Amino acid sequence: MNDYERMAEMLLQSHYAVALTGAGISVESGIPDFRSENGLWAKYDPMEYGDIESFRSNPAKVWKMLLEMDTLLSRALPNPGHVALAQLEQQGILKAVVTQNVDSLHQKAGSVQVIEFHGHNRTLRCEECRRRIARENVFLDKIPPLCSCGSPLRPEFVFFGEEIPLEAYQQAMAAAQHCDLMLVVGTSATVAPASYLPRTAKRRGAAVVEVNPKVTQLSHDTSDLHLAEPAGKALPAVMAALEALRAERRKKSK
Ligand code: APR
């Protein structure tokens, strides 16, 4: 049995599988991750560009990075990794995707139960008057974009130094506590509290499967299986193995 078949078997045996995804699952959609060699934080210091206090003190500077992200996100399309997770939900196996990504690619791939742990890119809001505006109604010809009240608009991303949206936090924690299988796809598992989720699942008796070309902090003490490949390759192969397993069982039951 190869790792694809092992993962397929675990999925078929599971009663409540959830996924935790990070920037790695969107790399094959053309969006760089944060901490790989050519990641976003190699170009922009996260404490200067990813922190809420930096945004408040110099929105124009942070919007330089946000504009670059916005261009990448607007062009990105779901890749086979996103599609495979949506198929697992449609097959009734995957109950939710908790994502750290803000690119809306899980929803574009067809996933419905998506818990956005770090916010999303579909609206912007005003720090002062809290007004929310759909992204397509905001023009970024001048940065920072301003609210009608005159204050800078900001994306609905969770910056460093900000709280995780309460509902997303509660839903994600509940998923981690109730699941019997957690797929951890494309995350370095270095940013809390998202990084607590696989450990919480494991402590509660769930199996943890990691899909990541690299070894992470989870690989040594939390993951029961590690597919060390890009998600866009590994997940479709697991879907094919799942189909083959079902066909084999149908044949046996005749
Ligand atoms: N398939 C699967 N995994 C991949 C792929 C791929 N094609 N390409 C890269 N990876 C892996 C990398 O090996 C790395 O372990 O994805 C992981 C991406 O890690 P990070 O860049 O740290 O991104 P992430 O874990 O999502 O960061 C968490 O940090 O900066 C904050 O808010 C930001 O949500 C982000 C959070």
Side-chain angles (χ1 to χ4, degrees):
M1 186 183 268
N2 65 36
D3 282 352
Y4 302 140
E5 289 162 337
R6 268 189 206 93
M7 184 165 164
E9 183 68 44
M10 292 167 85
L11 285 161
L12 219 46
Q13 301 293 339
S14 72
H15 300 285
Y16 196 104
V18 299
L20 169 68
T21 65
I25 197 170
S26 297
V27 163
E28 290 156 278
S29 295
I31 304 174
D33 63 15
F34 293 95
R35 294 173 183 81
S36 291
E37 299 70 59
N38 55 0
L40 200 69
W41 297 147
K43 187 171 178 185
Y44 293 103
D45 176 344
M47 284 307 116
E48 263 187 70
Y49 287 88
D51 180 273
I52 188 58
E53 290 318 320
S54 314
F55 178 83
R56 287 181 180 139
S57 56
N58 192 340
K61 175 179 173 185
V62 174
W63 261 104
K64 259 171 78 276
M65 177 202 71
L66 293 173
L67 192 59
E68 195 174 308
M69 271 182 86
D70 183 78
T71 309
L72 285 168
L73 297 187
S74 58
R75 289 186 192 138
L77 294 173
N79 67 60
H82 296 104
V83 172
L85 294 185
Q87 288 167 342
L88 283 174
E89 181 185 46
Q90 283 140 21
Q91 293 175 14
I93 294 177
L94 200 63
K95 308 300 183 195
V97 175
V98 179
T99 187
Q100 300 170 85
N101 302 338
V102 295
D103 55 31
S104 306
L105 290 182
H106 285 299
Q107 292 93 327
K108 285 183 180 166
S111 289
V112 176
Q113 293 306 320
V114 180
I115 301 165
E116 294 176 308
F117 211 65
H118 291 162
H120 60 82
N121 64 331
R122 297 182 297 280
T123 54
L124 291 91
R125 74 168 186 269
C126 174
E127 281 286 276
E128 280 309 306
C129 72
R130 319 294 296 169
R131 192 163 162 254
R132 275 190 164 78
I133 308 170
R135 167 63 191 87
E136 58 271 17
N137 297 335
V138 176
F139 298 96
L140 298 179
D141 45 343
K142 278 203 317 330
I143 54 171
L146 299 179
C147 172
S148 49
C149 79
S151 299
L153 291 170
R154 49 151 304 160
E156 302 262 25
F157 304 163
V158 177
F159 281 89
F160 286 117
E162 288 193 300
E163 295 291 310
I164 302 297
L166 182 62
E167 195 185 354
Y169 180 83
Q170 289 170 334
Q171 288 174 348
M173 207 37 96
Q177 288 166 348
H178 295 125
C179 70
D180 57 1
L181 175 62
M182 179 176 280
L183 314 184
V184 181
V185 185
T187 181
S188 60
T190 48
V191 174
S195 57
Y196 297 155
L197 296 170
R199 295 176 173 93
T200 301
K202 182 79 180 180
R203 237 192 346 268
R204 307 284 293 235
V208 175
V209 177
E210 209 176 350
V211 179
N212 188 329
K214 287 194 198 130
V215 167
T216 71
Q217 301 176 22
L218 297 174
S219 312
H220 310 294
D221 58 14
T222 305
S223 304
D224 299 286
L225 180 63
H226 179 185
L227 274 64
E229 286 188 328
K233 174 175 184 286
L235 292 179
V238 170
M239 296 309 288
L242 195 55
E243 223 14 72
L245 212 50
R246 284 198 184 96
E248 193 188 309
R249 298 216 170 148
R250 277 195 294 273
K251 234 177 357 187
K252 275 188 189 148
S253 65
K254 278 180 183 147

